């Protein structure tokens, strides 16, 4: 996979350097790379990946991979575009097999260098302030990493905590899990291929975005018989998969549809109680953000709606008064003064799980995804599926269940000797209610 002089594959691999304490100078291996995959995930503050190469010159035994070697990758859309440079660490060998007597195929797993470094560091230190400010300090002090806060608001602004012997990235994730917006919307902490910082964003901010592909939505199901779509600008979905979806039973079991929550205050001995109903407490927040109704059915059992059942009793210790000096300056990690603030925890947890309830995996051409302007995880994309019916040639109908504006939750960049695709796991919280959106484009 030598450096390309044209952009026929959709990317240019400028450099792949192998280095370790055992090598005097980095070894360039881009000419023997067969496949490269890089993974982004909305719940991971680091990248992962894997790279495979074909060895016919004793490279594998001379490099002597031990599980702590650097792989530096530099790539771009074309020779004229700004390059993206990322450093990974080989954390394990996936497999190594002989292709024939002279060549060997080797695949290794990669983890972003900050994740490997983070795994070496233990944090046991006191911090105070808003969650995003604490995360910023943890990342800066331990990993020299910048946090880009994209959250519209953070409800918790005066907490005090001691990080309980966690790595810096694990500590940042633990603190992020405590953060919600003023409406109770959950937050996410993630790393991207396009940029070097770590981003923090809330669900509301993501929902309010316009799709990055509004002018060329992803479309599946178009054939030569759909003459009514002549001239319609779109990007083809090569294939898709829907699996393990719509598991309401599991959500009920987790207490995320209808449950009674009790938060115990060990200082006063009191309980704060809340009868949680996902439709009233959580979906109403999303409806306010989107200015449209949520597509949550009114399914009932024994003439009683699902969210009206108290399916579980959930109890937790919520406050200890550990930092109570009479001034109410700081709250401990789980402490809240008002029942409504405890409810935000439940709302955030419920919406995180409901967001994954309706997901779809698609594979599309990577055009537009390898750019310094971040367009993958945390962004919205418009996905359209034609309805399951014969093409009429006069009127086109949309599959309202699968079509919609989705948030990219995971992204796998797949680059091989012939092409560059992205595999996107997309999630949504609402469906189209008619074909107006498509017909207006």
């Amino acid at each position: 996979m030598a450096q390309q002089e044209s952009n026929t594959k959709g990317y240019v691999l400028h450099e792949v350097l192998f280095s370790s304490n055992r090598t005097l100078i980095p070894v360039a291996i881009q000419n023997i790379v067969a496949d490269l995959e890089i993974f982004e995930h909305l719940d991971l503050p680091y990248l992962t990946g894997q790279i495979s190469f074909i060895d016919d010159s004793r490279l594998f035994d001379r490099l002597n991979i031990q599980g702590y070697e650097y792989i530096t990758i530099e790539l771009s859309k074309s020779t004229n575009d700004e390059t993206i440079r990322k450093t990974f660490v080989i954390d394990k060998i996936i497999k190594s097999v002989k292709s024939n007597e002279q060549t060997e195929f080797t695949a290794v797993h990669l983890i972003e260098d900050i994740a490997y470094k983070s795994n070496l560091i233990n944090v046991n230190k006191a911090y105070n302030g808003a969650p995003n400010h604490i995360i910023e300090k943890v990342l800066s002090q331990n990993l020299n990493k910048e946090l880009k806060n994209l959250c519209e608001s953070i409800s918790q602004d005066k907490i005090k905590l001691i990080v309980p012997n966690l790595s810096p990235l694990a500590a940042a994730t633990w603190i992020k899990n405590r953060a919600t917006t003023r409406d109770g919307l959950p937050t996410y902490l993630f790393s991207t291929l396009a940029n070097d910082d770590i981003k923090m964003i809330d669900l509301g901010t993501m929902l309010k975005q316009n799709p990055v592909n509004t002018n060329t939505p992803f479309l599946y199901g178009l054939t030569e018989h759909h003459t009514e779509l002549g001239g319609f600008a779109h990007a083809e979905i090569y294939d898709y998969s829907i699996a393990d979806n719509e598991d309401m039973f599991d959500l009920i079991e987790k207490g995320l549809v209808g449950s009674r929550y009790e938060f115990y205050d060990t200082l006063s001995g009191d309980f704060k109680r809340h009868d949680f109903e996902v439709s009233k407490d959580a979906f109403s927040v999303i409806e306010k953000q989107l200015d449209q109704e949520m597509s949550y059915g009114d399914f009932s059992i024994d003439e009683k709606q699902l969210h009206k059942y108290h399916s579980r009793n959930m109890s937790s210790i919520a406050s200890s008064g550990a930092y109570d000096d009479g001034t109410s300056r700081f709250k401990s990690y789980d402490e809240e003064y008002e029942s409504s603030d405890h409810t935000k925890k439940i709302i955030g947890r419920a919406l995180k799980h409901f967001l994954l309830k309706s997901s779809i995996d698609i594979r599309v051409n990577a055009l537009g995804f390898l750019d310094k302007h971040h367009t993958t995880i945390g962004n919205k994309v418009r996905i359209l599926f034609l309805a399951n019916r014969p093409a009429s040639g006069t009127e086109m109908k949309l599959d309202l269940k699968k079509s919609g504006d989705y948030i990219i939750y995971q992204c796998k960049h797949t680059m091989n000797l012939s092409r560059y695709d992205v595999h996107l796991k997309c999630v949504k919280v609402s469906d189209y209610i008619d074909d107006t959106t498509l017909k207006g484009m």
Side-chain angles (χ1 to χ4, degrees), residues 96-135:
S96 184
V97 295
K98 278 281 192 180
S99 306
N100 53 48
E101 292 180 356
Q102 289 80 36
T103 61
E104 187 168 4
F105 175 86
T106 300
V108 297
H109 187 267
L110 307 175
I111 189 167
E112 196 172 1
D113 57 347
I114 61 160
Y116 207 103
K117 181 180 178 181
S118 175
N119 199 34
L120 297 168
I121 300 171
N122 179 68
V123 181
N124 184 16
K125 185 177 178 181
Y127 292 93
N128 63 72
N132 55 302
H133 293 146
I134 297 176
I135 293 171

Side-chain angles (χ1 to χ4, degrees), residues 139-157:
L139 295 178
S140 174
Q141 293 171 2
N142 295 281
L143 300 174
N144 194 28
K145 202 72 174 175
E146 179 186 345
L147 176 70
K148 185 173 184 179
N149 180 27
L150 302 173
C151 296
E152 189 174 88
S153 66
I154 296 291
S155 177
Q156 302 77 20
D157 60 350

Side-chain angles (χ1 to χ4, degrees), residues 85 125 189 351:
R85 190 177 182 89
K125 185 177 178 181
L189 194 69
L351 289 177

Side-chain angles (χ1 to χ4, degrees), residues 10-76:
Y11 71 100
V12 178
L13 191 62
H14 296 272
E15 201 170 53
V16 179
L17 296 177
F18 175 98
S19 62
S20 74
N21 295 335
R22 301 182 302 278
T23 57
L24 296 177
I25 59 172
V27 179
I29 62 171
Q30 62 266 21
N31 291 335
I32 62 170
V33 172
D35 295 281
L36 172 64
E37 294 181 340
I38 298 174
F39 303 89
E40 301 172 283
H41 196 296
L42 198 57
D43 278 325
L44 290 180
Y46 56 88
L47 304 176
T48 59
Q50 64 182 55
I51 190 169
S52 59
F53 53 89
I54 299 172
D55 177 20
D56 59 1
S57 55
R58 294 193 60 195
L59 187 66
F60 184 71
D61 66 299
R62 285 172 174 166
L63 293 180
N64 189 21
I65 297 172
Q66 298 289 321
Y68 182 64
E69 293 81 20
Y70 287 102
I71 292 287
T72 302
I73 299 168
E74 186 173 353
L75 66 164
S76 66

Side-chain angles (χ1 to χ4, degrees), residues 203-360:
L203 179 57
T205 299
M206 291 189 289
L207 291 174
K208 289 176 181 176
Q209 298 174 119
N210 292 320
V212 295
N213 65 335
T214 303
N215 296 325
T216 52
F218 298 135
L219 178 65
Y220 185 86
L222 184 64
T223 69
E224 60 184 12
H225 302 293
H226 290 94
T227 55
E228 70 275 16
L229 277 178
F232 176 65
H234 68 280
E236 179 186 359
I237 297 174
Y238 298 136
D239 50 62
Y240 77 96
S241 172
I242 296 176
D244 298 323
N245 263 15
E246 310 297 355
D247 192 349
M248 185 68 79
F249 184 90
D250 181 62
L251 295 172
I252 293 170
E253 194 170 38
K254 287 183 168 73
L256 301 175
V257 177
S259 292
R260 169 162 290 174
Y261 283 79
E262 296 181 332
F263 301 93
Y264 181 58
D265 185 336
T266 57
L267 186 64
S268 65
D270 292 334
F271 277 99
K272 290 185 171 66
R273 294 179 176 87
H274 180 73
D275 292 332
F276 177 73
E277 297 179 15
V278 68
S279 182
K280 178 187 71 176
D281 292 317
F283 290 164
S284 60
V285 176
I286 296 295
E287 288 170 351
K288 185 173 78 171
Q289 295 284 334
L290 294 176
D291 195 25
Q292 70 179 64
E293 241 179 87
M294 282 282 291
S295 55
Y296 174 72
D298 274 339
F299 186 61
S300 301
I301 292 180
D302 295 333
E303 299 182 355
K304 187 175 181 180
Q305 293 173 316
L306 296 186
H307 58 267
K308 295 293 184 181
Y309 283 87
H310 290 160
S311 306
R312 298 290 182 274
N313 282 338
M314 315 288 284
S315 299
S316 62
I317 296 175
S319 60
S320 63
Y323 306 112
D324 186 5
D325 60 359
T327 64
S328 300
R329 286 186 302 163
F330 297 110
K331 296 177 284 189
S332 55
Y333 179 83
D334 264 323
E335 188 174 3
E336 292 291 0
Y337 301 138
E338 304 295 335
S339 294
S340 59
D341 291 324
H342 283 304
T343 305
K344 293 174 184 177
K345 303 177 192 176
I346 317 169
I347 293 172
R349 181 167 170 260
L351 289 177
K352 268 198 168 185
H353 283 80
F354 267 91
L355 190 65
L356 297 171
K357 177 174 172 285
S358 302
S359 65
I360 186 170

